[in-house]
Amino acid sequence: MNYLSNAEKRTYGAIVIGSGMAGGWAAKELCEKGIKTLVLERGRKVTHNEDYPTTLMSPWEFPHRGRLTEEEIAANPIASKCYAFREDAKHFFVKDKEHPYVQDKPFDWIRGYQVGGKSLLWARQTQRWSQLDFDGPARDGFAVPWPITYNELAPWYSHVEKFAGISGNKDGLDSLPDGEFLPPHELTCVEKHFQKEVKRLYQDRHVIIGRCAHLTQPQDIHYQQGRAQCLGRNLCQRGCPYGGYFSANASTLPWAAKTGNMTLRPDSVVHSIIYDEKKQKAVGVRVVDAHTKEMVEYYAKVIFVTAAALNSNLILLNSTSHRFPNGLGNDSGLLGTHIAFHNYRASISAEYEGYLDYKTEGGRPNSGYIPRFRNLYKQETNFLRGYAAGMNAGRGSYSDREGLGESLKISLLNPKMNQMWYAGSHMMGETIPKQSNRVTLDQLKKDEYGMPILHVDVAYDDNDDKMVQDFIEQFTEMYTKAGFKNIRHRDTKQAPGLDIHEMGGVRMGADPKTSLLNKWNQMHHVKNVFVTDGASMTSTSTQNPSLTYMAFTARAVDYAVKEMKKGNL
């Protein structure tokens, strides 16, 4: 009889750190290709449908009718700023005191530590990048040129779109390439009015229905996943019992599990990656059990780091050795630098007095979208890059609540429609990666798992302020010309981070002197380590980034497995 040693029992073909958007895809792709894969998640286990405690609750079943208490808000001044941190979903968020970090400058770090990560909580908007987005850094000289083109990534966009299920319209825009779409949602009549007027008034601006990860018409591949059509409940933050929107919990992780090749280990805080000086490669990871605080080592030929951008930076910075005293693969000294995000500070609201013979009914987990139109083909403004925007228009109702008894009941049961439509847009601006925007490790303070406390030193700059002003000016003009009234604008001055799109720190590039990863998301100096989450991004563009993380991950796994079979890893 053959007995495996303890080390052999803890040895796999691949290790995936993190189980969210990118980690779920890494697990699926590796397991499908026959690789025995260990998925490490620092948070608790959340199984699709079994662990969505509020998903079918009615409003009156919540003690506080869905709202947070004053005590909860006071205890969570950062997390409570997030739109989804409410009574029905607060259990999917990291509370402020649970996992501290140091804000060298104000930064609202929103986290979801559980199996599936923030894929349970995302806004589900899924736009492809275009070649124009990849060209940005090379054209204006900020950041480093991307080592990959749109055409190289396009097949992988298609690959993940078909499996995830993306709703959208074929709009034929070179600034926002079409994808493999399920039927689109419909714009409201006032959104269509705005679309028509913008098209009439501007040659370079377009209003389209958003592209989102919702099953408007499930295909066989989605039924095979056990998912069903989106019902438009608009309760997505609770976890969808039907799998109507894409999450790692409903889709990629169960798919990986049914291959028999995945081992999922929740409550496993990855401390660092183990580098073997003789073999000149990574050989495994050190893991702290979240409950016992015991440290255990696991081993693999290939490691995928998908812990979410800032945590991936933290793990790599903490992975020191004689060869890499400043963090794994960090010969350039750039690990943890050039952190970027999306600028969501500005918004516009307006009213429209027409179409009073129409109203909206039901739910639509989507909105209108205006793709970027600034500095697309050439530099034309006093700021670099540009912004996209959301667009919503709806008509609400009201009830007279002054009466008592029967008259009050009648009033509440027969609401009256507002005599105008409300509309609004919010900006999604690209920020420029700068070396001064960085994360570092505290040299003295550690958390309960023995991990150094992360310092976040990230701020807006003059380019961001100019972009906010341009958004306000342009959208005020657009709504005015389209016949809207009572137009108001707002700059929240919110801290970076609340966009929940932090990126960078382990950027891709062709030159090892100015980047950490090559075009395959592979570390230049540690060939068997791949980083495919937001940390790998060279620039941010304006699109919601999750779809691009998924495509990068699937592409990197395909490359890694081929290299493994060649004996190169």
Side-chain angles (χ1 to χ4, degrees):
M1 184 178 292
N2 294 321
Y3 291 94
L4 294 174
S5 67
N6 284 333
E8 288 176 315
K9 290 177 182 178
R10 290 181 275 111
T11 300
Y12 298 82
I15 290 174
V16 177
I17 302 172
S19 66
M21 201 69 72
W25 270 97
K28 169 193 173 293
E29 297 292 309
L30 285 162
C31 290
E32 275 189 318
K33 296 178 188 299
I35 308 298
K36 295 294 184 181
T37 302
L38 174 65
V39 179
L40 297 169
E41 167 55 51
R42 68 175 295 154
R44 64 188 176 93
K45 185 178 181 181
V46 172
T47 301
H48 176 55
N49 241 341
E50 294 179 15
D51 297 310
Y52 303 159
T54 63
T55 188
L56 295 175
M57 287 175 63
S58 299
W60 56 85
E61 295 181 276
F62 291 94
H64 306 102
R65 300 299 185 263
R67 300 175 67 181
L68 299 174
T69 64
E70 290 184 357
E71 291 78 11
E72 287 172 321
I73 295 172
N76 296 281
I78 295 172
S80 62
K81 294 177 186 177
C82 179
Y83 72 96
F85 188 84
R86 304 190 303 235
E87 189 174 22
D88 64 349
K90 61 186 180 183
H91 46 279
F92 290 142
F93 286 85
V94 170
K95 309 305 184 292
D96 287 7
K97 293 182 179 179
E98 290 176 346
H99 300 281
Y101 64 101
V102 177
Q103 302 178 61
D104 291 339
K105 296 186 179 73
F107 187 90
D108 294 329
W109 191 12
I110 307 297
R111 292 158 288 170
Y113 291 165
Q114 63 262 324
V115 170
K118 296 194 295 292
S119 76
L120 287 169
L121 298 165
W122 65 313
R124 304 166 307 284
Q125 289 290 301
T126 45
Q127 309 96 6
R128 292 188 180 200
W129 280 38
S130 73
Q131 187 57 44
L132 297 167
D133 300 302
F134 286 106
D135 286 343
R139 192 178 69 199
D140 59 36
F142 286 81
V144 296
W146 276 92
I148 185 174
T149 66
Y150 171 75
N151 286 338
E152 291 175 282
L153 194 59
W156 297 100
Y157 273 135
S158 294
H159 177 72
V160 300
E161 286 167 343
K162 291 174 183 177
F163 189 84
I166 307 300
S167 164
N169 187 61
K170 299 271 188 180
D171 298 298
L173 305 176
D174 59 353
S175 61
L176 201 74
D178 293 329
E180 309 289 341
F181 294 144
L182 302 174
H185 292 105
E186 185 179 3
L187 294 170
T188 68
C189 57
V190 172
E191 290 166 352
K192 289 178 181 177
H193 165 79
F194 189 60
Q195 179 187 52
K196 179 181 177 181
E197 289 300 294
V198 168
K199 183 176 181 179
R200 181 179 66 85
L201 294 163
Y202 303 92
Q203 291 184 341
D204 62 342
R205 305 183 190 188
H206 308 277
V207 179
I208 64 174
I209 187 65
R211 298 164 181 185
C212 63
H214 285 263
L215 299 182
T216 53
Q217 189 178 92
Q219 303 299 299
D220 183 61
I221 187 63
H222 307 123
Y223 291 128
Q224 290 179 41
Q225 297 170 42
R227 299 169 61 199
Q229 184 167 337
C230 170
L231 300 183
R233 300 191 317 150
N234 289 356
L235 300 174
C236 310
Q237 71 280 356
R238 300 181 183 184
C240 181
Y242 316 108
Y245 73 84
F246 172 83
S247 69
N249 307 70
S251 181
T252 46
L253 291 175
W255 194 268
K258 73 179 184 180
T259 67
N261 291 323
M262 182 180 78
T263 300
L264 175 62
R265 193 180 194 277
D267 300 309
S268 300
V269 181
V270 174
H271 174 276
S272 53
I273 295 172
I274 305 165
Y275 183 79
D276 189 302
E277 307 275 348
K278 293 182 179 179
K279 294 181 179 179
Q280 297 186 4
K281 66 179 182 179
V283 294
V285 298
R286 302 178 186 92
V287 173
V288 178
D289 186 288
H291 300 296
T292 67
K293 308 301 188 291
E294 177 189 9
M295 183 175 285
V296 184
E297 294 183 354
Y298 293 91
Y299 308 99
K301 293 180 180 180
V302 172
I303 298 169
F304 272 74
V305 184
T306 59
L310 298 192
N311 273 320
S312 290
N313 276 274
L314 189 160
I315 292 167
L316 292 169
L317 285 166
N318 201 42
S319 300
T320 57
S321 61
H322 178 74
R323 169 67 180 84
F324 297 112
N326 299 312
L328 189 68
N330 190 24
D331 284 358
S332 66
L334 294 176
L335 181 61
T337 69
H338 297 88
I339 302 295
F341 53 96
H342 279 151
N343 181 352
Y344 273 43
R345 279 169 36 189
S347 61
I348 291 277
S349 64
E351 297 173 355
Y352 191 78
E353 296 178 353
Y355 297 98
L356 297 183
D357 51 341
Y358 289 88
K359 63 177 182 178
T360 56
E361 289 284 351
R364 184 190 68 183
N366 200 355
S367 69
Y369 184 78
I370 296 99
R372 173 186 166 192
F373 54 86
R374 288 307 218 185
N375 302 322
L376 272 176
Y377 305 100
K378 62 181 180 180
Q379 186 62 37
E380 59 187 4
T381 68
N382 66 342
F383 60 88
L384 296 173
R385 314 289 170 83
Y387 51 82
M391 193 271 164
N392 265 304
R395 187 181 177 200
S397 61
Y398 66 97
S399 300
D400 182 358
R401 304 190 178 195
E402 294 299 317
L404 293 172
E406 189 68 20
S407 64
L408 176 59
K409 293 179 182 178
I410 293 172
S411 177
L412 292 176
L413 291 171
N414 296 276
K416 299 177 181 178
M417 298 303 299
N418 288 324
Q419 293 305 299
M420 63 189 67
W421 287 71
Y422 296 95
S425 289
H426 65 279
M427 75 174 291
M428 295 173 274
E430 178 171 1
T431 63
I432 305 301
K434 302 180 293 293
Q435 190 161 354
S436 59
N437 277 355
R438 63 186 301 157
V439 293
T440 54
L441 304 185
D442 196 292
Q443 297 303 306
L444 298 175
K445 297 179 183 177
K446 297 183 184 295
D447 66 14
E448 60 180 309
Y449 310 108
M451 296 285 288
I453 298 294
L454 190 71
H455 283 249
V456 183
D457 189 355
V458 174
Y460 293 109
D461 61 18
D462 182 59
N463 196 71
D464 301 317
D465 294 334
K466 291 176 180 177
M467 192 180 293
V468 166
Q469 187 60 37
D470 190 77
F471 168 85
I472 290 171
E473 291 173 357
Q474 294 304 311
F475 273 76
T476 298
E477 176 188 287
M478 290 161 66
Y479 275 108
T480 300
K481 289 184 175 181
F484 289 77
K485 305 286 181 63
N486 195 22
I487 300 167
R488 300 178 181 180
H489 65 263
R490 183 184 182 209
D491 178 358
T492 64
K493 305 286 186 181
Q494 68 187 41
L498 202 55
D499 52 288
I500 325 181
H501 290 170
E502 55 267 18
M503 296 177 239
V506 198
R507 70 184 180 187
M508 296 170 67
D511 186 351
K513 294 180 180 178
T514 58
S515 61
L516 281 296
L517 309 172
N518 65 16
K519 68 184 296 181
W520 302 105
N521 294 80
Q522 178 184 35
M523 296 203 85
H524 288 301
H525 300 300
V526 190
K527 297 297 186 182
N528 65 330
V529 174
F530 295 78
V531 183
T532 63
D533 62 9
S536 68
M537 300 295 279
T538 304
S539 60
T540 74
S541 192
T542 61
Q543 289 89 323
N544 297 64
S546 293
L547 183 70
T548 299
Y549 303 163
M550 297 184 218
F552 274 140
T553 302
R555 180 176 180 270
V557 168
D558 184 70
Y559 173 79
V561 172
K562 289 176 180 176
E563 289 295 291
M564 289 172 71
K565 291 179 177 178
K566 293 176 184 176
N568 294 335
L569 297 180

